[in-house]
Amino acid sequence: MNVYQKLQIARLSLQSKELKKSGKNKFAGYEYFELHDFLPTVQTIFADTGLAAVFRCNTETATLTVYNAEMPQEQIEFTAPMAAAELKGCHPVQNLGASISYLRRYLYVNALEIVEHDALDATTGAIEPAKKPEPKPALKHVP
C-alpha cells in the first residue's frame, strides 16, 4: 500500500476509537483535544499501519511529515506557519513550548482529520448585523 492508502486506513481506525477531550477553554466554554488525548492511540495505529510521523519546526514553519515506514521516500507533508504563543506570566521559553505543542496538535488534527468544533465560532458568538449610523442632528444657523 502507498502512503495515502495507509493514512486513510489510519484515519478510519482512529475515527472508530472513542477519544475523550481533556482540554477546557474556560473563557469560551468549550472542550478540545490535547495531544495526550489522541497521540498514544495514533502512535499505535501508525505502528500497525506502517506509518511514521516526524514533527519539525523552524522560525517560519511547522511541519508534520507522515512517512510510509516501508518506503520512506513516500511521504505526505502537513504545514502551518509558525506563530508565537503569548501566555500570561510565562517565560519566553515556556511560550515557545506552548507554540510547539499547539502546532503539533493542530498538525495532527489536520493530518488525521480529527473533528473538533470551530473554536472561532465559540469565541466570537453570533454574527450581528452592522448598525446603521444614526443621523446627526441638523445644525441651526443663528443670525
Side-chain angles (χ1 to χ4, degrees):
M1 280 190 282
N2 68 44
V3 68
Y4 294 98
Q5 292 167 314
K6 289 181 175 188
L7 181 58
Q8 187 60 29
I9 289 168
R11 287 171 172 167
L12 291 171
S13 180
L14 184 62
Q15 181 181 307
S16 71
K17 308 292 183 200
E18 290 191 33
L19 301 175
K20 303 273 191 239
K21 296 178 183 181
S22 65
K24 293 181 184 4
N25 183 313
K26 294 176 185 172
F27 170 75
Y30 65 88
E31 295 178 345
Y32 58 92
F33 288 113
E34 293 186 349
L35 278 171
H36 67 85
D37 295 332
F38 62 82
L39 198 51
T41 304
V42 168
Q43 298 293 11
T44 300
I45 291 169
F46 273 21
D48 293 344
T49 312
L51 293 172
V54 177
F55 174 83
R56 293 181 186 91
C57 64
N58 58 40
T59 57
E60 297 177 13
T61 309
T63 304
L64 181 71
T65 306
V66 178
Y67 293 92
N68 179 345
E70 296 166 359
M71 299 180 73
Q73 68 276 15
E74 289 186 8
Q75 57 187 269
I76 306 171
E77 281 193 357
F78 299 88
T79 61
M82 192 65 175
E86 295 181 19
L87 305 174
K88 294 178 185 178
C90 288
H91 189 276
V93 173
Q94 292 171 307
N95 282 322
L96 175 61
S99 294
I100 290 169
S101 293
Y102 287 138
L103 286 164
R104 278 183 71 208
R105 181 167 56 93
Y106 294 144
L107 288 170
Y108 270 102
V109 165
N110 185 20
L112 290 154
E113 297 185 341
I114 298 170
V115 180
E116 291 201 278
H117 72 283
D118 190 339
L120 182 62
D121 289 345
T123 58
T124 58
I127 297 174
E128 296 180 20
K131 292 183 180 178
K132 293 181 183 177
E134 293 186 26
K136 294 181 181 178
L139 295 175
K140 294 184 181 178
H141 179 66
V142 179

